[in-house]
Amino acid sequence: MPSLSKLLVTLAVADGFQKPSSIRQATKLSALTTPDMVSIYGRLSESTCVAEDGETTQTAKKPKWIPAYSFRKDHVPTWMEVFAGKESISLAEFEEGLQALPFADPWHSPKSEAAQTYSQAGGRAVFALLGGEDSLSLDTCEEKLMELAPENDGVTWQDFQIALVELGQTRSRDWDAFVDGGWEDLLEDDDWEASKDDEGANQLMTDVGAAPPPPPP
């Protein structure tokens, strides 16, 4: 009997499968709690944010925004300290930078004593949210923050929380990673067989073009 992975590839080719821009890969991520999210937002957010016009400086009594820019007017956001003057950083450097930032209760977020302690689960989820893979570039981080800021100024707690929830427990993996590694990567039985028991496996099968369910009798 052919393995699951080989069967899926055969079905995909037979159906005229075309290369998608990205493909879902089942990846276990620690379920985030609200304190996990607040722990990171309370380190990256601040009480000053310059509006999109580049002139108006907005202020609040408590941290209210993660500014969606690396520099605007005369303001350099707190999150820039995480990059420590580098153009690109690894996950380890990202986490180290986050842990070095002081925590302050953000505006509108739930108060939590647990959030005052750095959350590794939260940090890693935010690294992925901001476009981090093997590394995270300053340009990518700024672009992602801008996408999360409806007014093109700063990311509020509500927007931050929603984005993390939508991130869910799967990550996108560029199809080119499969192509660069050759078709043998698609035929690795261990990964595919293990994914059957992984949360999100049903979505994985759908994304790679598995056979549709039989019609009702």
Side-chain angles (χ1 to χ4, degrees):
M1 180 177 178
S3 68
L4 173 63
S5 60
K6 292 180 177 61
L7 179 60
L8 287 174
V9 172
T10 301
L11 288 169
V13 173
D15 288 341
F17 181 64
Q18 297 181 354
K19 182 175 77 172
S21 59
S22 64
I23 187 169
R24 290 281 185 185
Q25 179 189 25
T27 304
K28 286 187 176 179
L29 296 176
S30 299
L32 293 182
T33 64
T34 297
D36 289 329
M37 301 180 193
V38 177
S39 172
I40 307 306
Y41 191 78
R43 286 168 167 77
L44 295 176
S45 60
E46 56 189 281
S47 58
T48 298
C49 185
V50 179
E52 184 181 16
D53 61 15
E55 296 296 331
T56 306
T57 299
Q58 308 169 91
T59 59
K61 293 182 178 180
K62 299 176 66 175
K64 186 178 179 181
W65 308 272
I66 301 175
Y69 51 82
S70 58
F71 178 81
R72 186 177 284 177
K73 196 178 178 181
D74 57 353
H75 183 227
V76 178
T78 298
W79 65 261
M80 284 287 288
E81 296 179 26
V82 175
F83 281 84
K86 299 179 180 179
E87 291 296 321
S88 180
I89 55 177
S90 65
L91 172 60
E93 291 173 317
F94 181 78
E95 290 193 281
E96 182 180 356
L98 278 179
Q99 292 181 65
L101 295 177
F103 174 85
D105 287 323
W107 190 271
H108 292 314
S109 74
K111 289 186 177 181
S112 170
E113 290 186 7
Q116 297 178 24
T117 301
Y118 172 74
S119 166
Q120 185 179 63
R124 294 188 172 190
V126 172
F127 183 79
L129 178 67
L130 296 178
E133 295 181 355
D134 293 332
S135 62
L136 173 62
S137 72
L138 180 60
D139 288 343
T140 297
C141 181
E142 188 171 14
E143 289 172 5
K144 292 296 182 180
L145 286 172
M146 189 63 72
E147 291 176 8
L148 298 175
E151 303 298 326
N152 295 330
D153 49 6
V155 183
T156 64
W157 160 250
Q158 290 88 345
D159 295 325
F160 182 81
Q161 183 182 36
I162 290 171
L164 281 176
V165 170
E166 290 179 348
L167 181 66
Q169 295 186 350
T170 60
R171 293 180 182 176
S172 293
R173 177 168 156 185
D174 196 325
W175 171 268
D176 289 339
F178 287 106
V179 176
D180 290 343
W183 281 97
E184 291 182 359
D185 286 353
L186 280 174
L187 300 176
E188 287 291 340
D189 292 341
D190 291 344
D191 291 342
W192 286 82
E193 296 298 333
S195 74
K196 291 188 297 181
D197 299 323
D198 195 4
E199 189 171 348
N202 290 336
Q203 183 63 46
L204 174 69
M205 302 309 173
T206 300
D207 288 341
V208 298

